[in-house]
Amino acid sequence: MKFLENISLKPFNTFGIEVSAAYFTKISSIEELVESIDFSIEKKLECLILGGGSNVLLTKDYAGLIIKNELAGILLIKEDPSFYYVKAAAGEGWHTFVMHCIENNYAGVENLSLIPGSVGAAPLQNIGAYGVELKDVFFELEAFNITTRNIEKFSLSDCDFGYRESVFKRSLKGQYIILNVTFKLNKKHSINTRYGAIEQELKRMECTNITIKNISQAVINIRTSKLPNPKEIGNAGSFFKNPVIDESLYQQLIQANPLMPVYPSGNNQYKLAAGWLIEQCGWKGYRKDDAGCHSKQALVLVNYGNAKGQEIYDLSTEILGSVNQKFGVQLEREVNII
Ligand code: FAD
Ligand code: EPU
């Protein structure tokens, strides 16, 4: 195994932030993972696993060991009359996995097409888009306990998934490396077109007998039309979560802003569109040096070239402050700040 020293992380984060890692290695087996952990202990280094680097903001040089996950393989492990159980290694690309499912007619992940990153990071924030979340198709995962070095299984309830949340982002943060995820995918297709512009896009595509491939293509078309491609403009998708507020604040805000987008989320709770709140505060299209707020989607902060992680972070702090001042709503960052 090679442990490279003083490596630029620019190619390994979709924000395209130029910072360095003291040490860097790639793993494609559990033996290599164990060797990497041994190396970090021997050198008294912190270590951080990276998949696609599409949900991190690197704010400074990393003094430890970056482990780039390249564990590969997708396998149908069993089936019953209703489901296919498909196990994917953590280093597989998420979109590659989705395309594999569509080619094999395994239904359930088509609405999650074109989300960047790896299979292994997907449970961390229970990735979601267009009315589907990872938890809807999750069966179990295996993770490496960094302290005990045991491989442990986590069921759906063990993961404690929530909106952009899981146990791996909260109480078990930094303690496990996810090795593989098994998904429970439908044999009988139930097409989910309820969210946003999917139906409109399917009409535009002139689809009649709608297949999971059509849904995937519609989602790809919508996403490409509004989200910046990280290969062109550095970004990590939504920088903040959509905030959830209670009834009294909701009543106050909707009276003052009758056109505000709202998604009732049960128990007298209401989810608001952070992008709308940020746009109302005048940030959409804002740019200071190379750090900015995207002109088509205010929830996406961008690096136009040479922004420092700290500049993007400072912009996010200004946005948090102004949304709080105008609406009394506290936004929370979705992206992992390193
Ligand atoms: P990384 O950025 O590499 O890592 C993220 C965090 O997970 C880090 O803390 C890392 O240490 C940890 N981690 C990574 N791998 C493992 C592992 N194997 N075990 C344990 N911890 C690990 N997200 C959505 O939910 N919905 C969207 O619609 C969406 N759209 C996006 C659009 C764009 C253009 C971009 C750039 C991002 C978008 N995202 C979206 C965010 C991102 O794609 C997801 O969060 C994705 O799951 C991150 O995967 P990654 O491999 O790049 O994670
Ligand atoms: N909006 C504005 N101005 C903006 C952006 C959005 O007014 O600049 C309004 C839109 O008009 C719409 C509402 O906000 O009424 C919601 O916008 P959109 O459908 O684009 O979705 P979003 O809430 O901004 C969420 C996820 C995305 C996911 C999409 C589709 C979060 C934090 N973000 O975005 O996930 O792809 O829905 O399901 O939940 C990510 O997590 O990185 C991500 C991209």
Side-chain angles (χ1 to χ4, degrees):
M1 270 189 93
K2 279 192 191 144
F3 292 95
L4 305 172
E5 282 183 59
N6 199 20
I7 288 295
S8 165
L9 292 178
K10 194 174 168 101
F12 301 105
N13 73 99
T14 61
F15 252 124
I17 304 289
E18 178 66 276
V19 291
S20 66
Y23 293 91
F24 179 93
T25 194
K26 293 181 178 175
I27 56 153
S28 47
S29 68
I30 294 177
E31 291 70 30
E32 289 183 346
L33 171 60
V34 172
E35 206 179 312
S36 307
I37 304 287
D38 285 343
F39 179 86
S40 70
I41 292 172
E42 189 192 305
K43 295 258 182 196
K44 298 191 172 60
L45 299 170
E46 264 191 299
C47 61
L48 181 77
I49 182 104
L50 272 191
S54 65
N55 206 23
V56 288
L57 176 66
L58 304 170
T59 55
K60 49 185 181 298
D61 288 339
Y62 189 70
L65 169 68
I66 294 285
I67 303 172
K68 170 87 174 86
N69 189 346
E70 295 193 343
L71 297 171
I74 302 177
L75 200 64
L76 173 67
I77 53 168
K78 65 172 179 177
E79 56 184 292
D80 61 28
S82 307
F83 300 105
Y84 297 109
Y85 296 81
V86 184
K87 186 175 189 170
E92 285 289 344
W94 175 262
H95 185 64
T96 307
F97 167 69
V98 171
M99 290 296 107
H100 176 92
C101 293
I102 287 166
E103 270 155 36
N104 288 283
N105 234 3
Y106 309 151
V109 281
E110 54 282 357
N111 294 50
L112 300 175
S113 296
L114 211 63
I115 298 182
S118 60
V119 165
L124 217 88
Q125 71 156 6
N126 178 28
I127 57 167
Y130 296 93
V132 175
E133 288 183 329
L134 172 120
K135 71 169 171 47
D136 303 327
V137 288
F138 180 89
F139 182 62
E140 66 180 17
L141 64 76
E142 286 185 310
F144 179 84
N145 182 323
I146 297 174
T147 316
T148 65
R149 296 176 175 226
N150 290 329
I151 294 175
E152 296 174 25
K153 274 198 168 131
F154 288 78
S155 67
L156 182 64
S157 62
D158 295 334
C159 293
D160 200 13
F161 289 124
Y163 164 60
R164 297 295 190 273
E165 278 296 346
S166 76
V167 72
F168 301 104
K169 237 184 142 174
R170 293 189 298 252
S171 58
L172 300 184
K173 189 174 174 180
Q175 296 181 37
Y176 285 86
I177 290 177
I178 295 168
L179 300 173
N180 58 65
V181 184
T182 301
F183 298 89
K184 190 175 165 183
L185 298 158
N186 295 298
K187 288 191 167 175
K188 187 166 168 271
H189 299 185
S190 81
I191 301 290
N192 179 347
T193 61
R194 288 184 298 277
Y195 188 95
I198 297 187
E199 292 209 341
Q200 207 182 320
E201 181 58 21
L202 287 168
K203 262 195 206 134
R204 199 199 58 78
M205 288 162 59
E206 297 179 0
C207 296
T208 40
N209 269 340
I210 299 164
T211 63
I212 55 172
K213 197 168 187 176
N214 297 146
I215 299 279
S216 168
Q217 193 55 52
V219 168
I220 290 173
N221 294 349
I222 299 166
R223 293 182 68 97
T224 320
S225 73
K226 57 178 167 185
L227 287 170
N229 179 348
K231 287 192 182 122
E232 290 157 15
I233 306 177
N235 76 91
S238 302
F239 198 89
F240 304 97
K241 293 184 190 177
N242 284 328
V244 179
I245 59 166
D246 64 18
E247 179 81 38
S248 68
L249 182 55
Y250 164 70
Q251 290 300 346
Q252 205 180 310
L253 290 178
I254 201 70
Q255 272 169 33
N257 310 278
L259 297 178
M260 176 176 76
V262 179
Y263 315 96
S265 40
N267 290 336
N268 296 332
Q269 303 269 294
Y270 299 84
K271 193 186 266 186
L272 306 183
W276 185 88
L277 298 170
I278 296 168
E279 182 175 350
Q280 297 304 307
C281 292
W283 291 103
K284 196 169 184 171
Y286 173 89
R287 175 171 179 171
K288 184 180 179 198
D289 300 325
D290 273 355
C293 181
H294 191 51
S295 55
K296 289 191 197 157
Q297 221 314 352
L299 193 45
V300 178
L301 300 192
V302 293
N303 172 14
Y304 286 104
N306 294 311
K308 297 209 176 326
Q310 190 61 45
E311 290 171 322
I312 306 267
Y313 185 82
D314 291 346
L315 172 59
S316 75
T317 306
E318 282 193 69
I319 292 174
L320 283 173
S322 77
V323 168
N324 198 357
Q325 197 177 18
K326 188 171 169 74
F327 295 104
V329 173
Q330 186 62 45
L331 293 183
E332 192 189 330
R333 292 179 182 90
E334 184 208 90
V335 170
N336 298 281
I337 311 296
I338 311 286

